[in-house]
């Protein structure tokens, strides 16, 4: 949970300074982005597990299942961090931390981008194994 606290705080900080969108507040934007990124990691893991179990490149799990999982993860982030007030608790804790805001934002962006990279590389890896 500490990883998600870190990512949520610094992505919220990033959105609070970089956003021009007046329709959502930064914690909601952070929950959307982290939910989608976490869903990409879940999707990559499921692709790898399914390939090594079934030895088939064609997925037996419909894509709508992963969409539902993504929506559940986003709602879970919103419930835990916004509705339950965990964001206020971690905000106080990370304001006193020795990690600079710039470094925290960079690590958060790296996690978000690596979710997409891991997903693409896992598909390429399985495709290469399947053709060999």
């Amino acid at each position: 949970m500490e990883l998600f606290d870190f990512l949520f705080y610094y992505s919220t900080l990033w959105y609070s300074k970089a956003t021009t969108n007046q329709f959502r507040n930064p914690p909601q934007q952070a929950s959307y982005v982290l939910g989608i990124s976490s869903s990409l990691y879940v999707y990559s893991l499921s692709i790898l597990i399914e390939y090594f179990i079934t030895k088939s490149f064609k997925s037996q799990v419909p894509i709508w299942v992963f969409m539902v999982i993504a929506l559940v993860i986003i709602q879970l982030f919103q419930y835990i961090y916004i509705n339950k007030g965990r964001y206020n608790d971690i905000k106080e804790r990370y304001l006193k931390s020795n990690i600079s805001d710039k470094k925290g934002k960079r690590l958060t962006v790296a996690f978000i981008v690596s979710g997409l990279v891991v997903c693409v590389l896992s598909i390429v890896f399985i495709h290469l194994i399947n053709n060999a």
Side-chain angles (χ1 to χ4, degrees):
M1 199 67 187
E2 191 71 29
L3 172 68
F4 290 119
D5 289 348
F6 178 85
L7 294 171
F8 195 86
Y9 173 73
Y10 283 106
S11 61
T12 303
L13 186 67
W14 184 46
Y15 285 123
S16 66
K17 293 183 180 178
T19 187
T20 59
N21 189 355
Q22 301 299 324
F23 299 108
R24 292 187 187 99
N25 57 8
Q28 283 180 329
Q29 289 177 330
S31 65
Y32 293 145
V33 170
L34 289 177
I36 291 169
S37 180
S38 300
S39 300
L40 287 173
Y41 282 109
V42 169
Y43 182 68
S44 301
L45 185 65
S46 69
I47 287 172
L48 291 172
I49 290 172
E50 186 175 11
Y51 175 75
F52 287 118
I53 289 175
T54 63
K55 299 293 184 199
S56 173
F57 188 65
K58 183 171 171 77
S59 178
Q60 303 297 322
V61 181
I63 196 70
W64 65 267
V65 171
F66 296 108
M67 289 182 192
V68 169
I69 290 172
L71 291 174
V72 167
I73 290 173
I74 290 170
Q75 292 301 317
L76 199 63
F77 275 127
Q78 286 186 353
Y79 177 75
I80 291 171
Y81 287 103
I82 298 170
N83 297 346
K84 286 295 206 177
R86 187 172 174 95
Y87 172 66
N88 295 327
D89 298 338
I90 63 172
K91 186 174 14 174
E92 293 173 7
R93 187 173 67 214
Y94 280 108
L95 285 174
K96 302 174 195 172
S97 71
N98 57 0
I99 299 174
S100 69
D101 292 345
K102 196 176 214 181
K103 188 184 291 184
K105 290 178 197 176
R106 286 181 182 166
L107 289 172
T108 302
V109 169
F111 176 81
I112 292 168
V113 170
S114 68
L116 182 61
V117 171
V118 165
C119 185
V120 170
L121 287 179
S122 64
I123 292 171
V124 169
F125 175 71
I126 291 172
H127 186 68
L128 288 174
I129 290 174
N130 198 24
N131 287 339

